[in-house]
Amino acid sequence: MFGAIEAGGTKFVCGIGDDRGRIVDQITIPTTVPEETLGRVAEYFQNKAIRALGLGCFGPLDLDPASPTYGFLTSTPKLAWRGFNILANLRRRLAVPIAIDTDVNAAILAEHRWGAAQGLHTALYLTVGTGIGGGILVEGQILHGMMHPEAGHVIVRRAAGDNFPGVCPAHGDCLEGMASGPAIEKRWGSKGRDLPLDHPAWDLEAGYLAQGLVTYICVLSPQRILLGGGVMQQADLFPRIRQKVREMLNGYIQRPEIVANIEEYIVPPGLGTKSGLCGGLALAMKATEARKEG
Ligand code: ADP
Ligand code: ZN
């Protein structure tokens, strides 16, 4: 058995599961201050006899193993967690190999092993929820680069007549600032869940998300894009986004994935809402595999 943590700004979901991505037990712990939250996390795993633990974590994170602040949360808006060494804290509490990555990198890893990105070498998992974030698989490897991608913070072109300032604390009107769940709520004074299907919010939302996707398609050339997160529960968004992506690309990328089969190109996650927690399992498996190799 492996342990998995999906660490978010409002809750930590902890679970145990096997090497086929099956979760057999899980609990949810509210995110408060680090010591209290991680104390409860460690308590949960204490007697579970796990071989390794995978932590898919909110960020931004320092994921450069050569950096003196490797495993730290860096510029997170959750102030109690800013500059906190979450990896070392967990390692002190639990004597098993622990692997860390972003929540969305964990999710694309799980989708690659067990979900909608199986058999592909280059794919993107984008979550559209409280924030917007992307996990990226490139040529079979999870992309970290300098630290890790921050795909939600790409710059978008404003829709004509749209004066909404955006909600990103760092940038205002980046993609996350314009199209995250809190952006919808602030813009329209109502949660996305409560806005009717024919509300103008959805056309605008699809337009901004499509802009983001066009950027990712042009830069990364993914073989498939998976869209998850709370906002994507509005299933009507999928057809709207697909149509707008096609319009924006305007025939420039002549591939059957875009031109003929876009329904199979921009898709929901294969693991549904389990991508994140299964991502923890996939990371834990990687931790034991790396140990064998090393
Ligand atoms: P988090 O990003 O915090 O992990 P979620 O992915 O569940 O959590 O995203 C939460 C966001 O999704 C909230 O802003 C919420 O208003 C929005 N949301 C949840 N359900 C829906 C829905 N059916 N339609 C549109 N937005 C939704
Ligand atoms: Zn931003």
Side-chain angles (χ1 to χ4, degrees):
M1 283 292 158
F2 296 94
I5 305 173
E6 183 184 12
T10 54
K11 61 187 193 293
F12 276 50
V13 184
C14 303
I16 53 171
D18 64 15
D19 61 3
R20 294 163 82 173
R22 285 179 301 213
I23 306 283
V24 298
D25 186 63
Q26 72 178 73
I27 60 157
T28 297
I29 294 165
T31 307
T32 58
V33 291
E35 286 297 327
E36 182 187 15
T37 309
L38 296 180
R40 293 186 59 188
V41 167
E43 210 172 280
Y44 171 74
F45 287 112
Q46 218 84 69
N47 303 311
K48 297 283 193 296
I50 52 170
R51 283 176 59 197
L53 178 64
L55 168 63
C57 193
F58 66 108
L61 286 169
D62 185 344
L63 294 178
D64 173 6
S67 161
T69 52
Y70 174 61
F72 284 54
L73 284 148
T74 58
S75 51
T76 171
K78 296 286 288 184
L79 292 181
W81 294 78
R82 192 176 279 190
F84 180 71
N85 189 349
I86 188 166
L87 180 62
N89 193 289
L90 274 175
R91 283 188 170 155
R92 202 160 51 238
R93 294 171 189 271
L94 295 163
V96 291
I98 302 178
I100 186 172
D101 212 321
T102 62
D103 43 8
V104 280
N105 267 345
I108 188 64
L109 194 62
E111 289 287 336
H112 185 223
R113 279 201 192 232
W114 303 301
Q118 286 179 74
L120 307 178
H121 56 72
T122 301
L124 165 72
Y125 174 96
L126 194 77
T127 182
V128 188
T130 306
I132 298 182
I136 299 171
L137 177 83
V138 178
E139 314 266 331
Q141 301 284 330
I142 297 297
L143 180 63
H144 295 105
M146 177 179 65
M147 50 172 238
H148 53 76
E150 281 287 354
H153 296 269
V154 294
I155 304 299
V156 287
R157 187 195 285 162
R158 244 165 213 288
D162 184 3
N163 296 316
F164 181 63
V167 298
C168 175
H171 315 114
D173 60 1
C174 65
L175 178 61
E176 178 173 299
M178 297 302 264
S180 61
I184 296 174
E185 191 175 344
K186 181 129 191 248
R187 181 197 289 277
W188 303 105
S190 175
K191 280 187 186 297
R193 187 186 285 113
D194 303 325
L195 294 170
L197 285 182
D198 59 358
H199 193 281
W202 300 118
D203 204 55
L204 202 62
E205 179 70 12
Y208 284 121
L209 291 174
Q211 284 195 52
L213 266 50
V214 163
T215 299
Y216 313 138
I217 291 167
C218 293
V219 175
L220 298 166
S221 197
Q223 296 169 293
R224 185 170 291 150
I225 295 175
L226 283 46
L227 298 179
V231 174
M232 293 310 301
Q233 298 308 306
Q234 214 291 37
D236 195 47
L237 273 175
F238 275 96
R240 291 180 194 251
I241 291 169
R242 291 178 186 128
Q243 188 191 339
K244 286 178 190 291
V245 164
R246 240 196 213 140
E247 285 168 12
M248 288 176 198
L249 287 172
N250 197 25
Y252 187 73
I253 295 184
Q254 284 290 326
R255 286 285 309 184
E257 290 89 333
I258 310 276
V259 180
N261 292 318
I262 201 162
E263 290 77 13
E264 290 164 40
Y265 184 69
I266 298 172
V267 299
L271 302 171
T273 54
K274 294 259 187 246
S275 312
L277 198 55
C278 290
L281 289 182
L283 279 174
M285 287 170 64
K286 254 181 88 168
T288 56
E289 286 157 14
R291 195 154 267 219
K292 266 182 246 152
E293 284 158 24

